Amino acid sequence: MSELASTREAYGKTLVELGGQYPHLVVLDADLSQSTMTHYFAKHFPDRFFNCGVAEQNMMGIAAGLASSGKIVFASTFAVFATARCFDQLRMSIAQPSLNVKVVATHGGLSVGADGFSHQAIEDVSLACSLPGFTVVVPADAAEAERVVRLAAETHGPFYIRLSRPVTPQVPHNGQGFVLGRATTLQDGSDVTIITNGLMVTRALAAAETLSGQGIECRVLNMATIKPMDEEAVRLAAKETGAIVTVEEHLQQGGMGSRVAQLVVEHHPVPMAFVTVRDVYTHSGTPDELLQEHGLTSSGIEKAVWTVLRKKRS
Amino acid sequence: MSDEKEISEQTGTSAVVNHAESSVMGFTDKDCPSLKELKKTAMTVRRHIINMIAEAESGHPGGSLSAVEIVSSLYFKVLRHRPLEPGWPDRDRFILSKGHAAPLLYAVLAESGYLPVEELATLRKFGSRLQGHTDSTRLPGVECSSGSLGQGLSFGIGVALAGRLNNKDYRVFVLMGGGECDEGQVWEAAMAAAHYGLDNLVGVIDHNELQIDGLNREIMNIEPLADKWRAFGWEVVEIDGHDFVQILDAFENAKQTKGQPTMVIARTVKGKGVSFMENRVEFHGKAPNRDQAAKALEELDREAKCLN
C-alpha cells in the first residue's frame, strides 16, 4: 500500500485539469467547496464556478439548466444532501431528460464519523441507483477517483459519483485501467468471491490475505460501477467460485450487494452473504469505531466468507 | 447534448410542419401581429385548450386558461424563436414551470408551427408527444420537463447563466403559478437569480389566487408577493395578466432593466374566458364534460365574433 490520499482531494485536483481541457465544463457547489474540494476549480476558473449557497435543490435545477444549454456540469455537496435532499430535482430535472450532470458527492457512508447520523449517507447509492439512466460509481482510491471523474466528463449523461471523507491507501493494480461498467479483479481465487467497492476494498483485501493463510483462496472484485453493473463478472464469480460475499459502506437494501444478488438469482444462484450497514440510523464516533460496530471490518468479512463456504459445502 | 446536436435531432421530427399554414391568421413570426390578432389568437388557443382537455377527459383547464394572454404574447410577439428549428442556439427560452398548464403550451406551440394543430387531440393519450405534464424528451419546443412544482425557475437560472457564459443575448422566461410560490425551491432560486444579477431572466407569476384546495390566502398566504420579490432583489412589475398592452409593456420594461432579474406578477382569473370556470377551483384539474365543453366553445365563439 502506498501513500494515503482522499478520493475527494483527487476529484478537486482532477477538476482543475478538466477545466483546462473542456471550456464548457462548469462546477457548482452548495457552500461546501472547502470540503468537496471544488475550491481548487473555483480558484482557477472563477467564471465557471457557481456557489449556490446552502440550497441543494436549487443547485440541481441550475445544473439541469446549464446542462440543457450544452454545458458539462459537475455539482457537488455531501452525499446525504446530494441525494435525499434533492431527490425530486434529480428525478425530474436531471434523470428523466438524461442531462449531462455529474453529481459528485463527498462524505459518503459511515466513515464521515463524528458528525453523526445526519451527515452519514447510508441510503445514497440506493436512491441514485433507483433513477433510470444514472450511472453510479463508488471509487476506492485516489487513482480510481481521478479516472472515474475523467470518464464522467467525457461520457454524456447523468452520473452519481460517491466519494469519501477519509484518506485511503492506493490499492495496488487499481484505478488506472478502470473501465466504466467493468469490475476490476484485484486478486483471483476459486473458493469464494468478495465483491466490494469504496473504502471497503482495502478491508476486503486484508480479509482475503488472512483467509489465504487458512487455505481459502478468494477472488476479490472491486465493483466500483454499481450501475450499470458488470453482469459478466458477477455471473463468472457465481459460476466459478460458487459463493459470494458483498461488502459495502451502505445499507443492504438497494445497495451494491442487493444488485449483485439480483444478477446472481437471475444467472446462477449460489450462497451469498452481505456485509453492510445494519438497518438502523447510526451515531457519532470515529470511522473505525462505526465501521466496527457494523462488522465492516476484515474480521467481519472473514466471518461472512466462512458462512457462505459452509453453505456452499453443505 | 450540445445545442448543435439538439437542432439536428429536433428539426428531423418537426420538418413536416409548415409554420405559415398552421397559423390561423396566416402570420409568421416575422410579421408582428396586431393587438386584435393577438386577441383572436388567444380565443383560438382557449378553444384548443377546451377541446384538448375535453377529448382527453382529464387535464387542467383553470390554470391553462388563466395564462393564455401571457404565453400568447410571448410566442407571437416577444420571443425570438424559429418553430422549424426548435433547438436554434440563439432562441429565447420559454420555461413552463407550472407544468399542469401543458395544454396551453401545446396549443401555443401548435399555433406557432412547432406541431400540427391536429396533434393537439392526442393530449394525454398513450404514445402521444403531448404528455399530461410537459416532457422535454418527447416534443421539440418544450424546454424542460415539469409537473413537480417549484423547479422551473432554478432551471431557468441555469439556462440564463449558460447564455451569459456563451456570450449569447437570448432571454429566458419562466412561467410559474401563484400556488407554486409555496415551494421553498422557488425562494432559493429567487435569491440566486438576484445574486447572480441575471437581467436576461424574466419570471412571470400567473397569479390567479387559487390553488387546488382553495384560495391562496386561505391555504397558504403568499402575500405580499410583490414585496417579497422586491426584497429578494428583483425588479417587480404588477399587471393585469389578461391585458396584452400591459403584458407587452412589462416584457419591454424587463428588457430595459439591467443588473437584476424581473418578476412580472400577472393578476389573472383562473378559468378565464369560460363563465362557469372563472374563479372556480374545481376546474383546476377537472375536464369539462361534453355539454360543458360545448357551452364553453359557444361562449368563446361569441367572444371571438365580437372581435371582428
Side-chain angles (χ1 to χ4, degrees):
Chain A
M1 303 279 175
S2 61
E3 63 180 287
L4 296 166
S6 71
T7 51
R8 58 186 169 124
E9 186 76 17
Y11 165 54
K13 294 194 166 149
T14 305
L15 267 187
V16 175
E17 291 175 34
L18 291 173
Q21 196 179 335
Y22 297 99
H24 286 303
L25 188 147
V26 298
V27 177
L28 309 181
D29 205 298
D31 196 35
L32 287 169
S33 64
Q34 300 298 318
S35 301
T36 63
M37 301 300 167
T38 60
H39 67 93
Y40 294 121
F41 185 93
K43 191 175 164 219
H44 281 82
F45 305 100
D47 294 343
R48 287 193 267 148
F49 176 80
F50 300 98
N51 202 324
C52 299
V54 195
E56 296 80 8
Q57 299 173 3
N58 186 43
M59 175 172 76
M60 293 308 177
I62 294 175
L66 282 159
S68 82
S69 311
K71 300 294 178 192
I72 304 169
V73 186
F74 280 78
S76 285
T77 178
F78 288 176
V80 269
F81 311 133
T83 52
R85 178 123 197 155
C86 35
F87 188 70
D88 190 28
Q89 286 73 17
L90 295 181
R91 180 180 184 271
M92 192 181 81
S93 288
I94 296 172
Q96 192 271 349
S98 197
L99 291 174
N100 204 13
V101 177
K102 321 301 172 185
V103 178
V104 183
T106 66
H107 295 59
L110 289 182
S111 54
V112 170
D115 276 340
F117 94 91
S118 63
H119 283 55
Q120 296 160 354
I122 55 176
E123 322 88 336
D124 59 321
V125 168
S126 174
L127 288 166
C129 284
S130 72
L131 295 165
F134 253 82
T135 297
V136 180
V137 194
V138 182
D141 54 39
E144 191 170 52
E146 178 182 339
R147 176 93 178 122
V148 168
V149 169
R150 285 181 190 284
L151 287 172
E154 62 192 53
T155 309
H156 189 273
F159 274 66
Y160 179 71
I161 300 171
R162 181 210 232 197
L163 305 178
S164 307
R165 179 176 179 274
V167 291
T168 179
Q170 179 58 45
V171 179
H173 317 297
N174 190 59
Q176 293 302 332
F178 171 81
V179 177
L180 276 175
R182 289 271 178 283
T184 304
T185 305
L186 296 175
Q187 70 171 60
D188 207 359
S190 56
D191 295 319
V192 60
T193 302
I194 303 173
I195 304 181
T196 185
N197 62 24
L199 291 188
M200 295 301 105
V201 167
T202 53
R203 289 163 190 251
L205 287 169
E209 194 177 342
T210 307
L211 287 161
S212 178
Q214 296 161 355
I216 305 299
E217 298 309 326
C218 302
R219 178 180 298 182
V220 180
L221 298 182
N222 174 10
M223 192 64 80
T225 318
I226 301 176
K227 189 183 181 183
M229 189 168 272
D230 188 341
E231 284 197 35
E232 186 64 2
V234 173
R235 192 182 64 79
L236 289 176
K239 194 174 161 204
E240 293 171 1
T241 70
I244 292 174
V245 171
T246 65
V247 188
E248 62 192 309
E249 202 185 344
H250 189 274
L251 292 175
Q252 183 171 328
Q253 55 264 31
M256 181 267 288
S258 72
R259 298 182 67 79
V260 169
Q262 286 168 13
L263 294 173
V264 168
V265 167
E266 194 178 334
H267 296 297
H268 194 99
V270 295
M272 283 189 69
F274 306 89
V275 182
T276 66
V277 176
R278 282 185 286 108
D279 193 18
V280 293
Y281 284 101
T282 58
H283 50 89
S284 295
T286 65
D288 280 343
E289 286 168 336
L290 293 163
L291 295 171
Q292 175 125 22
E293 185 181 18
H294 289 264
L296 287 159
T297 57
S298 54
S299 65
I301 297 165
E302 289 158 35
K303 212 170 126 190
V305 166
W306 287 114
T307 303
V308 291
L309 283 176
R310 273 195 297 277
K311 287 184 186 165
K312 178 185 171 181
R313 287 163 185 171
S314 66
Chain B
M1 176 165 55
S2 70
D3 270 318
E4 284 68 26
K5 192 178 162 201
E6 251 175 60
I7 297 165
S8 59
E9 282 178 355
Q10 298 192 347
T11 47
T13 54
S14 61
V16 291
V17 180
N18 180 312
H19 176 220
E21 277 175 17
S22 66
S23 172
V24 189
M25 277 75 60
F27 60 78
T28 69
D29 47 352
K30 284 180 190 154
D31 313 313
C32 286
S34 70
L35 208 58
K36 192 171 165 187
E37 282 171 326
L38 270 176
K39 285 179 181 169
K40 284 161 82 175
T41 305
M43 285 305 137
T44 307
V45 168
R46 285 203 161 87
R47 285 186 61 89
H48 287 322
I49 291 168
I50 297 298
N51 277 323
M52 292 165 83
I53 298 176
E55 171 69 24
E57 297 180 342
S58 74
H60 299 78
S64 294
L65 291 169
S66 61
V68 167
E69 281 80 9
I70 297 163
V71 179
S72 299
S73 298
L74 285 168
Y75 276 86
F76 298 108
K77 191 83 174 161
V78 178
L79 294 183
R80 184 175 71 195
H81 65 130
R82 292 178 178 169
L84 295 184
E85 196 184 334
W88 181 38
D90 291 327
R91 71 193 183 279
D92 288 335
R93 271 74 163 173
F94 173 70
I95 289 156
L96 181 69
S97 188
K98 44 173 287 184
H100 54 279
L104 163 60
L105 178 59
Y106 300 148
V108 171
L109 287 177
E111 283 301 321
S112 301
Y114 286 83
L115 67 151
V117 168
E118 306 78 62
E119 193 176 344
L120 293 176
T122 68
L123 174 73
R124 289 177 166 249
K125 300 257 167 73
F126 185 79
S128 172
R129 298 195 293 173
L130 313 190
Q131 294 290 293
H133 293 79
T134 54
D135 177 345
S136 62
T137 68
R138 289 175 197 269
L139 184 65
V142 172
E143 297 283 353
C144 75
S145 294
S146 62
S148 174
L149 293 171
Q151 300 193 29
L153 191 57
S154 304
F155 190 96
I157 291 173
V159 177
L161 285 173
R164 180 191 280 178
L165 286 170
N166 296 340
N167 292 316
K168 298 273 187 195
D169 66 350
Y170 63 71
R171 300 165 81 199
V172 183
F173 297 84
V174 180
L175 179 66
M176 298 183 289
E180 184 174 11
C181 291
D182 293 356
E183 291 281 6
Q185 188 184 348
V186 168
W187 302 100
E188 294 182 359
M191 213 179 315
H195 178 77
Y196 300 135
L198 293 173
D199 50 22
N200 54 350
L201 178 69
V202 182
V204 186
I205 295 173
D206 172 19
H207 194 7
N208 57 40
E209 296 194 359
L210 286 169
Q211 53 197 108
I212 298 180
D213 275 352
L215 288 161
N216 295 157
R217 62 177 175 271
E218 286 172 5
I219 306 307
M220 183 50 63
N221 182 31
I222 54 173
E223 302 296 346
L225 195 57
D227 290 348
K228 284 192 173 90
W229 287 95
R230 275 192 203 101
F232 274 78
W234 290 58
E235 166 75 8
V236 176
V237 188
E238 292 183 88
I239 59 164
D240 173 346
H242 300 301
D243 182 325
F244 280 113
V245 175
Q246 290 190 36
I247 296 169
L248 296 172
D249 275 354
F251 290 141
E252 188 53 35
N253 180 298
K255 203 173 193 174
Q256 307 307 327
T257 301
K258 298 298 168 201
Q260 62 180 151
T262 295
M263 181 54 69
V264 179
I265 299 179
R267 301 273 166 191
T268 57
V269 173
K270 196 154 188 159
K272 174 75 176 176
V274 178
S275 62
F276 58 92
M277 290 185 176
E278 288 192 357
N279 290 314
R280 296 291 291 276
V281 78
E282 58 268 36
F283 278 106
H284 170 90
K286 196 182 84 172
N289 62 30
R290 192 181 291 250
D291 290 345
Q292 288 169 327
K295 191 162 172 266
L297 293 172
E298 213 172 280
E299 285 188 17
L300 292 170
D301 280 347
R302 253 198 323 271
E303 187 95 6
K305 280 197 187 108
C306 295
L307 289 171
N308 285 324

